[in-house]
């Protein structure tokens, strides 16, 4: 591999690492929103947020999947060749 290839791989790995940071922040925000909704529910008063909680949990799972894909792409780039 040439020096240019090495620099390109490092640049791509850095971009994927930055994307992981963004995805992690988004996942944490969605998780916090779901926890807030769970805490705000009052079943005796009839206040429920089932749809919103379900949607937040689904979004969290989607973000975790995206994180795993991004993590694997980065690891594959950094594998010795």
């Amino acid at each position: 591999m040439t020096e240019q290839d090495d620099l390109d791989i490092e640049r791509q790995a850095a971009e994927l690492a930055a994307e992981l940071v963004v995805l992690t922040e988004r996942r944490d925000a969605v998780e916090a929103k779901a926890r807030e909704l769970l805490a705000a529910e009052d079943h005796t008063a009839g206040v429920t947020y089932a749809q919103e909680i379900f949607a937040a949990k689904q979004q969290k799972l989607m973000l975790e999947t995206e994180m795993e894909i991004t993590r694997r792409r980065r690891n594959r780039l950094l594998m010795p060749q």
Side-chain angles (χ1 to χ4, degrees):
M1 289 181 50
T2 66
E3 187 175 322
Q4 182 63 31
D5 290 340
D6 290 340
L7 291 175
D8 191 43
I9 288 172
E10 289 177 22
R11 180 188 56 78
Q12 289 177 7
E15 288 173 0
L16 290 172
E19 187 176 336
L20 268 174
V21 170
V22 171
L23 289 170
T24 302
E25 290 172 353
R26 287 177 52 200
R27 184 212 45 205
D28 293 345
V30 168
E31 190 173 20
K33 179 182 175 183
R35 274 186 271 143
E36 289 172 7
L37 289 170
L38 279 168
E41 282 189 321
D42 184 3
H43 295 287
T44 57
V47 178
T48 59
Y49 301 103
Q51 293 287 332
E52 294 88 347
I53 293 168
F54 179 78
K57 288 183 177 183
Q58 288 294 325
Q59 188 173 11
K60 178 185 168 218
L61 289 172
M62 182 214 41
L63 289 167
E64 286 176 346
T65 302
E66 285 185 39
M67 289 170 60
E68 184 63 25
I69 292 168
T70 304
R71 190 174 11 263
R72 288 179 186 219
R73 286 178 57 205
R74 183 174 173 269
N75 289 343
R76 190 172 43 241
L77 275 174
L78 297 177
M79 285 176 56
Q81 296 187 11

